[in-house]
Amino acid sequence: MSRGQTSIASFAALLLLISTTWFWKVRILIARADPIGDGSTLLLVRQLLHQTLGVAGSLDLRAYIATLCGDENAPRIADFLGELIGASSSEQTCSELRAARNDPQIMSLWLRRSFVEWLAAECARAPLVLVLEDLHWGISPASSIWLT
């Protein structure tokens, strides 16, 4: 099977998935890894967040996460997701984010934790299907976000 045939087969499978999930009111988020870019795992996460959130400012993000999560962790989750998609607020940030900005390992840990908590809240709200194209480009030995 050639690359073109593979793409057509993948597209047909995706259309079948969409038509099936429409009936059951399942949400579908699609992200595609980039073989060239660094941080491809974070690129996938950013794409998923942008599709779901679609917000430009951190105030909208905070409000959305507060309604979705509804617990004391909502401000932290919103701050780290905002940092990830470039919608962070420098005035109102949680202490964890301020500390993580000085240590890449701590930042990685909190980004992963916040993403997983957000994804769990999204799944609790309604069924969710993640379509991760070319995932092999987005997984590295140092990246365990998809295994969590």
Side-chain angles (χ1 to χ4, degrees):
M1 194 181 283
S2 73
R3 177 148 171 81
Q5 291 172 329
T6 304
S7 296
I8 292 170
S10 298
F11 184 71
L14 183 59
L15 286 178
L16 178 63
L17 177 67
I18 290 171
S19 65
T20 304
T21 57
W22 175 80
F23 178 75
W24 296 103
K25 302 206 186 299
V26 174
R27 293 176 304 136
I28 300 174
L29 297 178
I30 303 170
R32 184 174 201 161
D34 180 10
I36 306 284
D38 288 336
S40 195
T41 298
L42 292 180
L43 175 68
L44 289 168
V45 171
R46 281 185 199 106
Q47 289 175 23
L48 296 172
L49 289 168
H50 277 294
Q51 280 184 45
T52 302
L53 303 173
V55 295
S58 58
L59 293 177
D60 295 332
L61 176 62
R62 279 181 167 255
Y64 177 77
I65 297 297
T67 58
L68 180 67
C69 297
D71 63 5
E72 68 277 354
N73 293 326
R76 177 193 41 85
I77 294 169
D79 284 349
F80 277 97
L81 295 182
E83 186 80 6
L84 187 60
I85 63 173
S88 63
S89 170
S90 58
E91 300 104 33
Q92 299 178 329
T93 57
C94 65
S95 59
E96 292 93 342
L97 179 57
R98 287 191 301 273
R101 284 179 174 156
N102 296 322
D103 187 340
Q105 290 179 334
I106 294 174
M107 179 64 86
S108 175
L109 179 110
W110 280 111
L111 285 173
R112 181 177 49 233
R113 182 174 176 182
S114 298
F115 172 74
V116 169
E117 289 173 338
W118 165 77
L119 192 58
E122 287 288 347
C123 290
R125 185 181 82 168
L128 181 65
V129 173
L130 297 180
V131 178
L132 304 173
E133 293 187 56
D134 295 329
L135 182 60
H136 57 282
W137 296 118
I139 292 184
S140 68
S143 161
S144 64
I145 196 165
W146 303 114
L147 304 175
T148 302

